[in-house]
Amino acid sequence: MVELKNITKVYETDSLKQVALNKISIKFRNCEFVSILGPSGSGKTTLLNIVGGLDKYTSGDLIINGVSTKKYKDNDWDTYRNHKVGFVFQNYNLISHQSVLSNVELALTLSGVSKDERRKRAIKVLKKVGLSEHMDKRPNQLSGGQMQRVAIARALVNDPDILLADEPTGALDTKTSVQIMKLLTEIARDRLVIMVTHNSELANEYSTRIVKIMDGKIVDDSNEFDDI
């Protein structure tokens, strides 16, 4: 279980202090599909990055499976990001000169997995996202939806507890967006999926929980989790 307790994130420059998140507290279930909605600059992506360990909070606490991260060292965060979290981005972040299979395998190289095992796991997850016939292609030979499926496969190949998706349908047409949302819904059956999106229609149709953020604060939570 992931819990944020009074998380505040402040970005400071010489002349500016910007509060991106203001004392946010929220708990997530181990298996659910959460959509984070809010206008640009509301703190959605900052929240996602803090859950993923890509950004450090200024104050408060991020609790992972009952353990505080306040005393996490850099190697603790590296382990968390490499083994517990998978990331999916709007622009796919694929390596253009590598094959689809190699792009997915690459996510395992930092985990010390053998070459044979990397290939086996990459093939398995590419089949899961419906790309078994495209494994030898390069990203530029794929459609936008197929590239996003590669990105999702890469995020899943380490079998993470949490999948974080930042505007995963932002660059896709309506039909392809629906296909990606259906895939994320299926993935959320056995892990936590948190998605940042501007598309409230898709979020309302496919998510199990909608969290709305405004000015760094949670203003609405459609399926609040309190295990007490």
Side-chain angles (χ1 to χ4, degrees):
M1 187 188 74
V2 176
E3 179 181 1
L4 283 73
K5 291 183 73 173
N6 293 314
I7 288 283
T8 293
K9 175 63 182 179
V10 180
Y11 293 104
E12 289 191 65
T13 62
D14 293 337
S15 58
L16 182 67
K17 183 188 243 186
Q18 181 183 359
V19 180
L21 297 177
N22 191 355
K23 295 184 177 179
I24 278 189
S25 294
I26 186 171
K27 293 180 183 179
F28 297 103
R29 299 170 180 85
N30 289 334
C31 299
E32 62 176 341
F33 186 2
V34 184
S35 283
I36 311 289
L37 297 177
S40 296
S42 60
K44 304 186 302 297
T45 297
T46 301
L47 174 60
L48 203 72
N49 288 344
I50 283 174
V51 171
L54 293 176
D55 207 350
K56 304 291 174 64
Y57 48 88
T58 304
S59 63
D61 198 3
L62 173 66
I63 299 169
I64 302 160
N65 294 327
V67 178
S68 168
T69 61
K70 280 184 178 179
K71 295 183 179 179
Y72 263 30
K73 304 281 194 300
D74 286 345
N75 62 331
D76 295 319
W77 286 114
D78 288 342
T79 299
Y80 173 65
R81 286 189 297 266
N82 290 335
H83 297 279
K84 298 294 184 183
V85 186
F87 299 93
V88 179
F89 303 99
Q90 179 178 342
N91 60 357
Y92 322 128
N93 287 0
L94 301 177
I95 299 171
S96 59
H97 65 271
Q98 299 261 24
S99 69
V100 165
L101 184 59
S102 296
N103 265 278
V104 176
E105 282 186 77
L106 195 63
L108 292 169
T109 56
L110 296 173
S111 305
V113 179
S114 70
K115 185 177 179 180
D116 288 345
E117 180 65 15
R118 285 202 305 265
R119 179 143 298 207
K120 180 180 173 184
R121 283 164 64 172
I123 289 171
K124 181 180 178 181
V125 77
L126 282 165
K127 285 179 178 177
K128 181 175 182 177
V129 301
L131 290 176
S132 56
E133 296 178 5
H134 302 280
M135 290 189 281
D136 295 325
K137 291 182 179 178
R138 302 271 168 84
N140 64 3
Q141 296 175 293
L142 303 177
S143 68
Q146 288 170 334
M147 284 193 284
Q148 193 58 286
R149 286 174 182 269
V150 177
I152 291 170
R154 183 185 55 195
L156 290 175
V157 75
N158 262 331
D159 195 25
D161 297 329
I162 308 164
L163 183 74
L164 302 177
D166 193 355
E167 299 282 2
T169 64
L172 304 176
D173 60 55
T174 302
K175 182 180 178 182
T176 310
S177 295
V178 167
Q179 292 171 353
I180 294 300
M181 292 298 288
K182 286 180 177 178
L183 178 58
L184 292 174
T185 300
E186 184 182 328
I187 291 165
R189 289 176 184 164
D190 61 0
R191 74 196 74 218
L192 170 62
V193 175
I194 305 176
M195 177 183 74
V196 160
T197 184
H198 279 100
N199 194 322
S200 57
E201 287 185 21
L202 285 177
N204 282 303
E205 185 169 353
Y206 292 98
S207 305
T208 58
R209 181 179 181 185
I210 305 287
V211 176
K212 294 180 180 177
I213 293 184
M214 186 83 68
D215 298 326
K217 293 183 177 182
I218 293 173
V219 294
D220 190 54
D221 188 339
S222 70
N223 190 9
E224 193 171 351
F225 175 44
D226 192 345
D227 59 346
I228 297 173

